[in-house]
Amino acid sequence: MQGKKDYQEKLFAHFQLSERIPRNNFYRRLKGVLDLDYLYPLTMGYYGESGQKSIDPVVFFKLCLVGYLENIISDRKLIDHCSLRLDILYFLGYDIDEELPWHSTISRTRQLFPEDVFESVFIKVFGMCVEKGMVSGHTQAIDSAPVKANASMDTLELKVPEEELEEHLRKVRAISAIDKEEPHRRSKGDKATKEQQSITASKKEPDAIKGRNKKWATDQDQRPGAGNKGSKYTSNKTHYSPTDPDARISVKPGKARKLNYLSQLTVDTAHHVITDITAYHADGKDNQQLPDIVSRVKRRLWKEGLVWENCVADTGYSSGENYALPEAMGLKGFIPPHGTYKGGPEGFVYNKEDDHYVCPQGKIIPFTKEFLDSRTKTRKKSYRASSKICKDCPLRAKCLGKVNEKQFSVTYYREEYQRNIARVESPLGRYMKGKRQSTVEPVFGTLTQFMGLRKINTLGLKQANKCMHLSAIAYNLKKYLKFTGKRSKSGAGKVALLLFVKTCRYKLKRLFSGPEKTMDYLVT
């Protein structure tokens, strides 16, 4: 017989949300392990003593975590999504007839709490992973990736030097046909400070950009789709974003130029737990940020009672300072050097004891001075020979060129380079390279594609740092709930069980073999 369901709302109904959520539900399990009650005294000072009650800080963080767990970066969409999910309502502590907080409350509270509060939640979850045995601390892999900022390339403004703007346009920027035909899109408001609006680069840097701009403008006018303003050549030396002044123009090979933030990520290689994540300006270099990352990660691991031994990173972090720093901290660095590093002129032999080089003809080029490179800001050592030494040399024309004496500079950290190269080229170094590629890079892909880090939905570097911490917290929590301890495959467990059984049989046999033996056994 065919059935037909007629829906009629009841005036009264008995309904318990906890009974509708399965025991193995993700958010039910997360509610049972995540305790954030310590946030109440921690955030008490950021609220007033009178007025209406604001959002519960624990509910705020849980809402934010749900957004990154569900890959939702819009606060408005997040509230709509949570209101339709019984398991999320149970996780938040809301019943089906309770109204969730207004979406704008989330953004206001995110701005209210400082970065330290978000980092404390990250450290709390990281500590949970350590207690469960998910973090070894032995080897840490470091990498970086750009994350799109909440600003458009179309609203870029020119930085203004001391001269008038029109004069600056004629000197520095080549105006293409695109600029003449289509007006510039203006931002609603300019959040940049006076320092951010003015050019801080030296005169040589804008002049160098001038030639690139001319060539770029000519090429773009001839290409299909050249009307896209984002495709124009721009530089952080001459442009800034009035919408988000902390965002920087950056580009990766094969990608379009965008306003980004740089995410620096550190991952433990044991079970891919994130040990550190921080937002930086996208125009900075990786090797400039490594000292800050290493000191912060080592301090965090030390507080958890973990010993860090191996620091693994790619070529972008290569520099003499970054080779010396890990060694000074007792770490082994596995950072491939740049292809430009040679350690001295080709064919020259270095004498460590007397600190000089010997040329192929046996002549000595002594050390002269130590200096700071004005372009790279790195320490170098200068070596220079007298013109009399090279006067009758048969290789003079090839070796010296247009100068009269042999002179060159070498990095101050030559020995650190050599030790690091030996580690990288060793079998362990090749293993570490594969370990880094299989550890930190997949984690970045997961964060950007599935954990809400494809775009920063806030403005400013501090707010971007909060978003990155929330994404990393959500990732670690997901790993935490999925983690199960691996059983030993060595067979030691079977041997121990067999020994236990034999011991029990022996004791039982002695116990029931007879009264005399039983008394002897009980006495012993």
Side-chain angles (χ1 to χ4, degrees):
M1 180 178 177
Q2 185 185 46
K4 184 178 180 182
K5 177 70 174 67
D6 295 326
Y7 173 72
Q8 185 176 2
E9 290 188 357
K10 298 179 181 179
L11 293 177
F12 303 98
H14 174 71
F15 182 88
Q16 284 189 338
L17 193 58
S18 59
E19 295 179 354
R20 298 287 179 171
I21 312 301
R23 294 293 177 184
N24 61 345
N25 179 267
F26 175 82
Y27 286 104
R28 186 180 190 118
R29 293 165 57 209
L30 184 59
K31 182 182 177 68
V33 300
L34 185 62
D35 183 14
L36 298 177
D37 288 345
Y38 77 96
L39 288 172
Y40 292 118
L42 184 63
T43 59
M44 181 66 70
Y46 303 105
Y47 295 95
E49 296 181 355
S50 60
Q52 294 183 348
K53 291 184 178 181
S54 181
I55 183 175
D56 187 317
V58 174
V59 173
F60 161 75
F61 272 98
K62 286 185 175 181
L63 273 170
C64 291
L65 290 177
V66 169
Y68 289 95
L69 288 167
E70 300 290 327
N71 200 18
I72 301 172
I73 61 176
S74 169
D75 295 337
R76 190 187 297 269
K77 290 182 179 180
L78 174 61
I79 297 299
D80 293 340
H81 180 81
C82 293
S83 62
L84 299 175
R85 291 276 299 272
L86 296 182
D87 55 347
I88 296 179
L89 289 175
Y90 179 73
F91 172 64
L92 298 175
Y94 277 71
D95 213 332
I96 56 173
D97 58 345
E98 288 185 272
E99 188 177 358
L100 290 174
W102 191 244
H103 64 85
S104 62
T105 309
I106 301 177
S107 59
R108 289 199 301 268
T109 308
R110 188 188 294 114
Q111 296 175 10
L112 174 66
F113 294 156
E115 297 171 86
D116 295 342
V117 177
F118 291 81
E119 187 175 357
S120 70
V121 180
F122 174 82
I123 295 174
K124 168 78 173 179
V125 175
F126 175 69
M128 292 167 54
C129 295
V130 173
E131 290 179 4
K132 203 171 185 180
M134 299 172 62
V135 183
S136 69
H138 183 272
T139 304
Q140 304 294 315
I142 304 174
D143 202 0
S144 65
V147 182
K148 191 178 184 307
N150 192 15
S152 173
M153 292 282 287
D154 293 347
T155 60
L156 288 178
E157 294 285 351
L158 279 164
K159 292 185 176 180
V160 183
E162 296 179 357
E163 300 89 348
E164 295 293 332
L165 178 60
E166 294 299 327
E167 180 68 18
H168 177 60
L169 287 171
R170 288 194 295 271
K171 283 186 177 181
V172 179
R173 188 170 180 234
I175 303 178
S176 65
I178 306 169
D179 300 316
K180 296 176 182 178
E181 293 171 1
E182 298 185 12
H184 179 66
R185 175 182 160 190
R186 302 287 297 182
S187 176
K188 292 182 179 179
D190 197 330
K191 297 182 175 65
T193 62
K194 293 295 182 183
E195 183 180 357
Q196 292 170 324
Q197 294 180 25
S198 59
I199 287 183
T200 56
S202 62
K203 187 178 183 301
K204 291 183 179 180
E205 291 174 317
D207 288 343
I209 295 171
K210 180 180 178 181
R212 272 180 274 168
N213 281 336
K214 286 183 178 179
K215 183 178 183 302
W216 186 272
T218 305
D219 293 344
Q220 288 297 310
D221 289 340
Q222 306 299 326
R223 292 179 182 178
N228 179 15
K229 288 184 180 294
S231 66
K232 293 184 303 182
Y233 184 85
T234 47
S235 170
N236 292 303
K237 302 292 185 182
T238 56
H239 291 76
Y240 73 96
S241 171
T243 307
D244 187 359
D246 286 339
R248 297 289 188 270
I249 304 166
S250 66
V251 63
K252 294 194 74 173
K255 302 289 185 179
R257 300 174 69 82
K258 293 180 181 179
L259 287 164
N260 296 321
Y261 284 100
L262 190 66
S263 176
Q264 292 284 357
L265 184 69
T266 307
V267 181
D268 185 84
T269 58
H271 296 285
H272 299 193
V273 174
I274 298 175
T275 55
D276 184 73
I277 187 169
T278 311
Y280 291 91
H281 292 298
D283 58 346
K285 295 181 179 180
D286 290 341
N287 57 17
Q288 297 172 338
Q289 293 142 4
L290 186 65
D292 179 45
I293 298 170
V294 170
S295 60
R296 185 171 56 248
V297 174
K298 187 173 179 63
R299 184 169 59 251
R300 183 170 296 157
L301 293 174
W302 180 80
K303 288 182 179 179
E304 296 292 342
L306 300 174
V307 179
W308 183 14
E309 293 188 14
N310 300 322
C311 177
V312 189
D314 60 15
T315 310
Y317 296 88
S318 172
S319 73
E321 291 83 355
N322 291 345
Y323 292 148
L325 176 66
E327 290 185 0
M329 300 176 69
L331 302 176
K332 295 178 182 178
F334 294 87
I335 308 174
H338 288 289
T340 56
Y341 171 76
K342 295 181 180 179
E346 188 176 355
F348 285 57
V349 179
Y350 178 68
N351 187 309
K352 181 180 178 180
E353 294 180 359
D354 300 325
D355 194 12
H356 65 243
Y357 281 83
V358 180
C359 75
Q361 296 296 315
K363 304 298 182 181
I364 295 177
I365 295 86
F367 165 75
T368 54
K369 65 177 180 179
E370 179 187 331
F371 68 98
L372 188 68
D373 192 298
S374 59
R375 185 179 64 86
T376 60
K377 307 300 181 184
T378 57
R379 294 175 67 183
K380 289 187 176 182
K381 298 172 73 174
S382 176
Y383 296 84
R384 185 171 182 174
S386 172
S387 58
K388 296 179 181 179
I389 295 177
C390 304
K391 187 175 182 180
D392 300 324
C393 180
L395 302 178
R396 176 185 173 88
K398 181 180 178 181
C399 184
L400 299 185
K402 297 181 180 180
V403 296
N404 294 325
E405 65 274 337
K406 185 64 177 179
Q407 54 181 335
F408 55 89
S409 61
V410 180
T411 175
Y412 179 82
Y413 303 96
R414 182 183 182 278
E415 294 183 10
E416 286 80 357
Y417 263 95
Q418 297 296 332
R419 288 194 293 268
N420 180 80
I421 292 173
R423 286 193 298 269
V424 170
E425 294 179 350
S426 66
L428 179 60
R430 292 191 291 270
Y431 169 79
M432 287 297 179
K433 179 182 178 182
K435 197 70 174 175
R436 180 190 64 81
Q437 293 174 342
S438 63
T439 301
V440 68
E441 293 179 4
V443 173
F444 253 130
T446 302
L447 293 180
T448 55
Q449 299 299 320
F450 306 107
M451 307 296 287
L453 207 60
R454 63 186 180 274
K455 180 182 178 181
I456 300 296
N457 64 336
T458 56
L459 301 177
L461 183 64
K462 293 182 178 180
Q463 302 299 321
N465 196 29
K466 298 174 186 178
C467 294
M468 291 183 186
H469 272 90
L470 287 169
S471 181
I473 294 168
Y475 176 88
N476 282 348
L477 283 173
K478 208 166 186 178
K479 297 284 289 186
Y480 180 86
L481 292 180
K482 286 184 177 181
F483 178 77
T484 54
K486 295 184 179 180
R487 294 183 179 179
S488 175
K489 298 181 180 179
S490 63
K494 293 183 179 179
V495 174
L497 179 61
L498 183 61
L499 181 62
F500 174 75
V501 171
K502 287 184 177 180
T503 305
C504 291
R505 287 178 61 186
Y506 174 74
K507 290 183 178 180
L508 288 172
K509 186 177 180 180
R510 290 192 61 183
L511 183 63
F512 295 103
S513 60
E516 296 179 358
K517 293 184 178 181
T518 302
M519 292 302 296
D520 294 340
Y521 171 73
L522 292 176
V523 171
T524 57

